[in-house]
Amino acid sequence: MVFGDGQNGSGNTDYDYEALVKELYGSGADSSVAPVVESADTKKGENRKEVRGPAPGMFKNSRLNGAYLSLNMASPYTVSGQLESWYSYIDAGIAVKLPYEVYVESIPLYFLFEVSTFSFENTYPQGGDFAGLAYILQASAIGDQSSAALGFGFWDSEMGSMLELGYRFRPTKNTFLRVGTRGVLITDIEFIGSAWWAELRLSVGFEL
């Protein structure tokens, strides 16, 4: 197709064709190059987010990243009938969250190991006590603020289990305060049999 009179002074019509290409595509365009169309796979790759691990703790890029250490206080507020005549006291403990996680469906589970005291003293004339150290291994689902844990272990020499619900506050990036409640079931206590109690808990933690 020739525009104008088809003459550029030398009888060559290529000048008009080149002028049309520059007008349509710009001076640097190549009329033989087709526009690039992004495929669906390319768009999916751009939208896919990188999977990240635990948030950096106090010791970034270390093997302990993702772990935490917490100091705990607890006191029973209700007990089963077998323990109604027993005094209880404020107990203390320490717990370590291991820097590992496993997924059940889409829920990440974390593992904790806790050592804490427990103490009950009988008020009957014959006296007696049920006290010592508890060693508990827990599996916990931890959210931004709430958490739930199921654990099994030994209360002195007696086997038992526990279920805990907690709510967490963050005073700083790598510390937290947690309040919660825990139910404990002991299957066989000497002179008592099976018994349970529920306790209020307060924890102060440092994320490593």
Side-chain angles (χ1 to χ4, degrees), residues 76-93:
Y77 63 89
T78 184
V79 298
S80 62
Q82 298 89 329
L83 294 175
E84 286 182 352
S85 62
W86 295 58
Y87 285 119
S88 59
Y89 302 91
I90 295 177
D91 298 301

Side-chain angles (χ1 to χ4, degrees), residues 114-169:
E114 178 183 336
V115 178
S116 60
T117 64
F118 68 97
S119 53
F120 292 92
E121 183 177 351
N122 199 346
T123 60
Y124 283 165
Q126 65 268 29
D129 58 26
F130 175 52
L133 291 177
Y135 306 91
I136 313 167
L137 183 62
Q138 306 172 29
S140 178
I142 303 174
D144 292 335
Q145 294 178 314
S146 60
S147 64
L150 176 65
F152 297 90
F154 291 90
W155 278 256
D156 198 12
S157 59
E158 310 298 341
M159 182 176 290
S161 59
M162 49 76 53
L163 176 64
E164 180 179 332
L165 301 175
Y167 190 83
R168 182 168 56 177
F169 306 89

